Amino acid sequence: MIGTPVKIAACLGLLMILVACGNSPPNRFYRLTPGNGSPGSEQKPSVGVGPVTIPAFLNRSALAYSRGENRLIISSFDLWAEPLSAGVNRVIGLNLAQLLNTQNISEFPWDSRYSPDYGVRINILDMDTDEKQATLVAEWVLMHPDNGEIFNRRISRYTSPLPTGTFDPSELPSAYSALLYQLSETIAGAIQADQRKTASDSGEHRRTSSPSL
């Protein structure tokens, strides 16, 4: 038979747990956002985005950032509203729609019967912050899905300053969104360069293949 002191201690312990739960701060949910422009109005070029890969230390619902060389902070109450890879894919697609003036954006896997003109694969290598700036390091690959040709492959690094003062995890989503826009600008520029090269090669081919008068 359980004595009265034990019962009282158990009740007090349960009461403390309930009070602690009641005093816990509410979860805060965040999402990544694209640039402020509107999607384009054309159907060309068609662009497929994905797959997007995320490092294991970032691939979680909670926001994670480092303090010190090897120390990682997991912000238990600051959460992504969607899987981070899905957010990156979505935002890159919307940014490219703005920058390339196209509405023809698809997410991986796309219908193999209607391969896009360009495929974009993204491997996030690092997305982190110190108390002064946020950093994005990403490997990106551009290819022609119809024949599997990879014509551009690079690792790019971007930084974005954080507001001065006491750091708050709520600053990260907007900073990461700005970095992803910079990455999108780089990718869009590479696609536009390939479009110009293709148009130039096509024009040269027409000139050389025209019959002599």
Side-chain angles (χ1 to χ4, degrees), residues 81-102:
E82 63 184 335
L84 189 54
S85 60
V88 172
N89 201 321
R90 174 179 56 81
V91 165
I92 293 289
L94 288 171
N95 287 339
L96 291 177
Q98 298 174 26
L99 294 165
L100 296 172
N101 189 35
T102 182

Side-chain angles (χ1 to χ4, degrees), residues 15-179:
L15 181 61
M16 291 176 65
I17 292 173
L18 292 174
V19 170
C21 291
N23 291 335
S24 297
N27 290 336
R28 299 186 293 183
F29 292 91
Y30 300 94
R31 61 173 182 155
L32 298 168
T33 52
N36 293 326
S38 300
S41 57
E42 304 297 326
Q43 291 298 314
K44 288 286 186 176
S46 56
V47 181
V49 182
V52 172
T53 59
I54 304 290
F57 77 93
L58 285 175
N59 194 20
R60 60 183 72 242
S61 59
L63 272 64
Y65 52 94
S66 63
R67 283 294 176 270
E69 192 167 330
N70 296 308
R71 183 185 174 201
L72 191 68
I73 304 296
I74 307 298
S75 187
S76 302
F77 300 105
D78 295 287
L79 309 174
W80 293 111
E82 63 184 335
L84 189 54
S85 60
V88 172
N89 201 321
R90 174 179 56 81
V91 165
I92 293 289
L94 288 171
N95 287 339
L96 291 177
Q98 298 174 26
L99 294 165
L100 296 172
N101 189 35
T102 182
Q103 291 196 350
N104 201 341
I105 302 290
S106 55
E107 289 190 3
F108 182 87
W110 46 79
D111 191 332
S112 59
R113 297 172 298 174
Y114 308 102
S115 294
D117 300 325
Y118 295 96
V120 183
R121 296 204 309 260
I122 299 170
N123 180 21
I124 301 296
L125 300 175
D126 197 15
M127 194 161 69
D128 202 359
T129 180
D130 56 25
E131 294 183 351
K132 296 181 179 180
Q133 66 181 17
T135 301
L136 169 68
V137 182
E139 177 191 35
W140 52 274
V141 177
L142 282 176
M143 60 183 296
H144 295 296
D146 57 345
N147 59 17
E149 175 197 3
I150 293 175
F151 66 90
N152 206 325
R153 184 174 199 152
R154 287 173 56 187
I155 294 177
S156 299
R157 183 180 186 274
Y158 308 92
T159 60
S160 177
L162 294 173
T164 57
T166 304
F167 170 78
D168 190 285
S170 63
E171 300 166 358
L172 292 184
S174 60
Y176 289 158
S177 296
L179 295 175

Side-chain angles (χ1 to χ4, degrees), residues 176-212:
Y176 289 158
S177 296
L179 295 175
L180 289 171
Y181 191 80
Q182 293 182 54
L183 173 61
S184 302
E185 288 181 313
T186 303
I187 294 171
I191 291 176
Q192 290 166 336
D194 185 73
Q195 287 180 294
R196 290 191 294 269
K197 179 179 182 300
T198 300
S200 175
D201 291 347
S202 178
E204 182 65 26
H205 176 73
R206 285 196 298 270
R207 286 193 296 271
T208 57
S209 62
S210 298
S212 302

